[in-house]
């Protein structure tokens, strides 16, 4: 742990005795309001501490303040109760109030905060600010880190301070690997783990292993994980034989009526090597990670991922100096991505190969400087250079027409470069009042090269229209945030946040150009089965948000706590979609209410508002019977397009999670009831379908000691057939290159009952 | 018998001997399949056939089939094939199948690009060409999985009501179909097809379905019964007048 020489006062409890913590005033201030950027929080895991035979002291009270009151940090310990049987890291976020999950492939779900999803959020893995490189966002950012490797999750769900945001309007999610572990001075540390898991539904299975070596200054950690799963099954038959019979005959393998087609995953491998070096208040970290996925099906897309290879290099430096701290991050990521159709969609493989390659280079430099004792000045800048090629090779054996004879260039030489700078002041005015004010500006340059279709004719009109325009563009965006927190005593605090946030359109909102239905169907970021065309004249979205949070609890947070968060956001230039009116989209496209349609992105305006409530109460705490805790979480959000009056797409209806938790010895057990109301506010322009309300019961238990951890869970224990409101359209079977064959109006069903078991051994 | 009488007798004989074919007529036909995904272009079959109203049989069905995925401008009947449009058209010159359907009240016929009906993959059963077997095969080409074994066939299946000039009912339209497994019609391993959900359980592979069919009398007439009668009358008139000339002399 870096030591500080400045006169440090700390209220933070030390949680690992072998790492005495001393914090400077600056650090303390950071902790009060915001997360300490990427400053290392050293290993406080039950496992490591247990392995070292060091008592663990929980630090919930302090930790809760490391993000704004409206946000949430999930501790490593809470992550651990879930991660072993979870395939998808995004699923770990489901306990965050205000955060919902849009379904996609087995490891590629997309998080949404208060109804704003995907690229409207800033999502970082180990500080790397990444973007998907796929017209369906299959290689989502959180798919790059295996759940078992996740050490911390921070979500800024209300107001994201400018130092943590930028080029996003809907909050920030920071997922980080387990922190590096160092040995005591003069000692060496060798640790590791081997784990395996099995989920009965879909016969998902995998294993993971890690090995580490550390001295007091150096730390090496290698980890690897493998995952495969067959198609999962819904609780009951969901395919109506009468509507599906013709489709089942149409070029697809026979599947059972409860089997969700194109939902399998195979050959998913993550490997990473993390190195860390620390000395006198300086911490250097270098991470190299490689991910490959052999196949991942997408039941709400018309394509499947047939290969994805990701390599990233990530360098981070944190230095604590007398004058403040300094954070430097540099990273580079390269992705090679391939899509085609699974056997369940077509007998033929390959049917329509689609390839993309991207490179992202980014970094940031942040300095935190305390001044006048009670203030902290944060200043910094960051950049992200993103390059994308997205092309679809011609298919052999065809003549000039749909898929011959050249590469179809969906996005050629796509580019989106961003540079941002910010300044932020946090002020500790009195014991009761703390404020944070920040401003930032981002410049975004986007461009793309000229395009072509598979052949002239069919594609020529659109290609000519696109190529005749200038593709280059520049946005200069301005953000500000203001947060004020009032803490009258140790049992309550209130926070008001106001912000202006901007986001420039993404490459996939700007540049996909073909209105030919087949091509447009392949550009779909939201899993609704519709066809999308880009729009080069989109303006940046600008959101104005007001957020109020209140937190009540007993003095030590040891018995109860309740938190409420209300928000209202107006988004100018909200990028929604309108029905395509080009002749090539057909006359019926504008009026169709019961089928898939062709849409084009367009700037509108939107209003989102809602409420998150979360609370816990310890019901009984008895040395013999253990600790019983009731937890609840309720979320509600409404989203409206204020120009058209339509509802926004994929807005989660009123929902709640109610958990009874029991802890005794090494055991932690949970019975969780998840309740979701019917989705009746649906997006008319997208022909979004309604879903019924439902309730699910999940049972989990986990036992851990210093040598091992066993997780057992029964998800959807009552085997209830349900459709997640954010599940998207079921497109997993049948010829998907056209808008009319796959029946419209079927939602992707959720997973039926699944018994899961995971065992992990530590050494 | 003078020469005039001889001529008249010969003409009468010819007319009589032709009466065996007197019920056969030639028609033009334009069948349209709506293609939602390739708008504004649709798939057209433009051709002709001979129809024997006595036996209700179709012969010599032949014509051209447009490929909606090629070109950028739609077919315009008034300017004809490749008049305004720039689509590729396939020649379908082999009428290989035809049958009478009593319940629909008319005759089906299909004309093919190849002198063979082999069109669709037969791995899922079926006869390799019928719209039903095409739906069952997912529209996949004959000879799959070897692309080289695909004969690249195409066909149009039309329907002629008992009275060819009556407008088709929806039930009759629902049974019209086409398939295009030639190079310009292939999507992956699927041929481009046009079928209706009510007629065959599924729309075509690119969502195409039959929209309309127009049959008209050919405007370049092959002599028909009325024509023969006219000819006969004309000749008779000529004969009479020449005879009157002879008499008045
Ligand atoms: Cu993809």
């Amino acid at each position: 742990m870096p030591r500080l020489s400045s006169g440090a006062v700390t209220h933070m409890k030390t949680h690992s005795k072998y790492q005495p913590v001393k914090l400077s005033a600056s650090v303390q201030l950071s902790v009060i309001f915001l997360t300490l950027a990427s400053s290392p929080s050293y290993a406080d895991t039950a496992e490591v501490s247990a392995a070292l035979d060091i008592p663990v002291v929980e630090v919930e009270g302090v930790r809760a303040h490391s993000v704004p009151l409206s946000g949430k940090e999930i501790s490593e310990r809470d992550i651990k109760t879930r991660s072993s049987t979870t395939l998808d890291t995004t699923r770990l976020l489901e306990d965050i109030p205000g955060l919902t999950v849009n379904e996609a492939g087995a490891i590629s779900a997309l998080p949404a905060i208060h109804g704003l999803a995907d690229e409207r959020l800033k999502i970082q893995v180990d500080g790397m600010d990444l973007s998907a490189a796929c017209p369906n966002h299959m290689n989502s950012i959180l798919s790059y880190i295996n759940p078992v490797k996740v050490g911390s999750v921070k979500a800024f769900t209300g107001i994201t301070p400018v130092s943590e945001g930028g080029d996003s309007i809907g909050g920030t999610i920071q997922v980080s690997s387990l922190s590096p572990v160092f040995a005591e001075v003069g000692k060496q540390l060798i640790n590791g783990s081997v784990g395996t898991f099995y989920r009965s539904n879909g016969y998902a299975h995998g294993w993971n292993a890690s090995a580490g070596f550390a001295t007091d200054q150096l730390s090496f950690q290698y980890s690897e994980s493998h995952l495969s799963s067959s198609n999962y099954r819904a609780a009951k038959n969901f395919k109506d034989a009468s509507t599906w019979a013709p489709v089942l005959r149409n070029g697809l393998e026979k599947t059972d009526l409860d089997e969700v087609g194109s939902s399998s995953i195979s050959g998913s491998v993550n490997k990473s090597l993390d190195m860390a070096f620390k000395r006198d208040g300086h911490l250097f970290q270098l991470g190299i990670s490689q991910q490959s996925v052999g196949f991942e099906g997408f039941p709400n897309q018309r394509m499947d991922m047939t290969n994805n290879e990701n390599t990233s290099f990530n360098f981070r430096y944190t230095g604590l100096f007398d004058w403040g701290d300094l954070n430097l991050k540099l990273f580079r990521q390269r992705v090679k991505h391939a899509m085609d159709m699974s056997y369940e969609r077509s007998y033929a493989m390959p049917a329509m190969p689609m390839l993309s390659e991207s490179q992202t280079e980014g970094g940031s430099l942040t300095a935190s400087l305390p001044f006048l004792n009670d203030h902290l000045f944060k200043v910094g800048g960051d950049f992200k250079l993103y390059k994308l090629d997205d092309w679809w090779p011609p298919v052999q054996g065809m003549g000039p027409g749909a898929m011959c004879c050249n590469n179809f260039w969906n996005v050629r030489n796509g580019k989106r470069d961003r540079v941002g700078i910010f300044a932020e002041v946090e002020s500790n005015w009195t014991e009761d009042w703390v404020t944070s004010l920040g401003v930032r500006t981002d410049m975004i340059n986007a461009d793309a090269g000229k395009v072509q279709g598979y052949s002239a004719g069919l594609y020529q009109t659109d290609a000519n229209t696109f190529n005749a325009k200038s593709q280059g563009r520049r946005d200069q965006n301005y953000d500000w945030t203001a947060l004020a927190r009032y803490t009258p005593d140790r049992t309550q605090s209130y926070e008001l946040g106001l912000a202006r946030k901007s986001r420039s359109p993404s490459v996939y909102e700007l540049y996909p150009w073909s209105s030919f239905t087949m091509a447009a169907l392949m550009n779909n970021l939201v899993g609704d089965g519709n066809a999308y065309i880009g729009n080069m004249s989109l303006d940046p979205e600008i959101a104005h948000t007001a957020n109020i949070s209140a937190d009540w609890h007993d003095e030590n947070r040891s018995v109860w706590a309740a938190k409420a968060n209300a928000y209202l956001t107006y988004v100018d230039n909200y990028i929604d979609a309108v029905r395509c009116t080009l002749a090539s989209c057909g006359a019926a496209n504008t009026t169709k209410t019961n089928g898939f349609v062709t849409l084009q992105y367009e700037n509108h305006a939107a209003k989102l508002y809602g409420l998150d409530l979360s609370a816990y109460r310890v019901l009984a705490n008895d040395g013999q019977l253990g600790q019983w805790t009731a937890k609840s979480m309720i979320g509600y959000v409404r989203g409206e397009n204020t120009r058209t009056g339509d509802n926004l797409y994929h807005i989660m209806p009123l929902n709640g999670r109610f958990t009874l938790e029991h802890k005794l010895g090494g055991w932690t057990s949970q019975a969780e009831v998840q309740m979701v109301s019917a989705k009746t506010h649906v997006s008319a322009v997208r022909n979004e379908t309604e879903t019924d309300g439902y309730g699910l019961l999940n049972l989990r238990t986990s036992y851990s000691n210093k040598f091992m951890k066993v997780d057992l869970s029964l998800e959807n224990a009552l085997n209830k057939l349900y459709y997640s409101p954010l599940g998207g359209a079921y497109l997993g079977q049948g010829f998907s290159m056209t808008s009319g064959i796959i029946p419209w109006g079927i939602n992707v069903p959720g997973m039926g009952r699944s018994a899961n078991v995971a065992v992990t051994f530590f050494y | 018998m003078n020469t005039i009488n001889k001529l008249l007798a010969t003409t009468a004989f010819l007319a009589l001997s032709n009466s065996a074919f007197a019920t056969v007529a030639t028609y033009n036909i334009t069948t349209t399949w709506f293609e939602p995904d390739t708008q504004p272009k649709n798939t057209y079959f433009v051709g002709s056939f001979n129809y024997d109203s006595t036996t209700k049989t179709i012969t010599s069905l032949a014509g051209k089939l447009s490929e909606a995925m090629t070109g950028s401008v739609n077919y315009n009947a008034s300017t004809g094939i490749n008049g305004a449009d720039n689509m590729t058209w396939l020649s379908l010159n082999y009428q290989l199948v035809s049958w009478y359907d009593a319940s629909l009240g008319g005759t089906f016929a299909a004309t093919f690009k190849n002198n063979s009906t082999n069109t669709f993959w037969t791995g899922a059963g079926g006869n390799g060409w019928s719209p039903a077997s095409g739906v069952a095969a997912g529209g996949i080409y004959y000879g799959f999985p070897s692309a080289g074994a695909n004969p690249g066939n195409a066909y149009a299946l039309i329907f002629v009501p008992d009275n060819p000039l009556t407008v088709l009912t929806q039930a009759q339209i629902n049974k019209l179909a086409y398939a295009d497994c030639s190079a310009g019609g292939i999507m992956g391993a699927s041929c481009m097809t046009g079928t209706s959900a009510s007629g065959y359980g599924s729309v075509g592979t690119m969502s195409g379905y039959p929209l309309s069919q127009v049959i008209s009398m050919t405007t370049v007439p092959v002599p028909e019964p009325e024509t023969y009668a006219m000819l006969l009358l004309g000749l008779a008139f000529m004969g009479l007048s020449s005879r009157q000339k002879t008499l008045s002399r």
Side-chain angles (χ1 to χ4, degrees), chain A residues 460-587:
Chain A
Q460 206 56 55
T461 309
D462 289 336
N464 288 347
T465 307
F466 180 94
N467 291 336
K469 293 183 191 162
S470 157
Q471 283 73 41
R473 50 176 283 139
R474 170 176 293 184
D475 300 324
Q476 187 79 46
N477 298 334
Y478 298 92
D479 291 1
W480 55 259
T481 50
L483 279 155
R485 172 186 284 185
Y486 175 56
T487 311
D489 59 46
R490 288 181 58 107
T491 65
Q492 53 187 323
S493 45
Y494 305 89
E495 187 181 270
L496 171 67
L498 299 170
R500 173 199 153 104
K501 296 272 178 169
S502 332
R503 176 188 77 100
S504 283
S506 70
V507 165
Y508 277 114
E509 287 164 328
L510 292 170
Y511 296 123
W513 52 274
S514 177
S515 65
F516 177 44
T517 308
M518 179 189 77
L521 284 171
M522 302 306 163
N523 283 292
N524 186 313
L525 311 177
V526 289
D528 63 4
N530 293 315
Y532 284 85
I533 307 166
N535 178 355
M536 275 191 281
S537 50
L538 289 175
D539 289 323
E541 294 180 333
I542 295 166
H544 287 93
T545 302
N547 192 92
I548 302 174
S549 306
D551 189 1
W552 302 277
H553 49 85
D554 65 299
E555 256 186 41
N556 299 319
R557 292 176 184 268
S558 55
V559 181
W560 69 279
K563 202 159 118 173
N565 186 56
Y567 54 90
L568 171 63
T569 301
Y570 284 94
V571 188
D572 289 338
N573 298 331
Y574 181 88
I575 298 173
D576 206 330
V578 290
R579 297 283 176 90
C580 167
T581 53
L582 297 168
S584 45
C585 296

Side-chain angles (χ1 to χ4, degrees), chain A residues 713-725:
Chain A
S713 64
L714 192 60
E715 281 169 34
N716 195 357
L718 303 178
N719 202 33
K720 171 115 178 115
L721 178 65
Y722 73 101
Y723 297 90
S724 165

Side-chain angles (χ1 to χ4, degrees), chain A residues 133-139 303-305 337-339 354 356:
Chain A
C134 162
N136 305 140
H137 282 192
M138 290 176 172
N139 40 23
M303 300 298 271
D304 300 299
M305 192 160 91
H337 174 71
M339 299 199 287
M354 295 168 63
S356 55

Side-chain angles (χ1 to χ4, degrees), chain B residues 19-27 49-59 100 106-107 160-165 217 224-226:
Chain B
S19 71
F21 305 99
T23 54
V24 174
T26 302
Y27 295 86
F49 59 89
N50 293 337
Y51 183 68
D52 185 326
S53 55
T54 310
T55 59
K56 294 173 178 163
T57 51
I58 298 169
T59 51
Y100 184 73
T107 310
V160 178
D162 288 344
N163 178 350
L165 296 177
M217 295 292 288
E224 283 165 61
E226 294 87 337

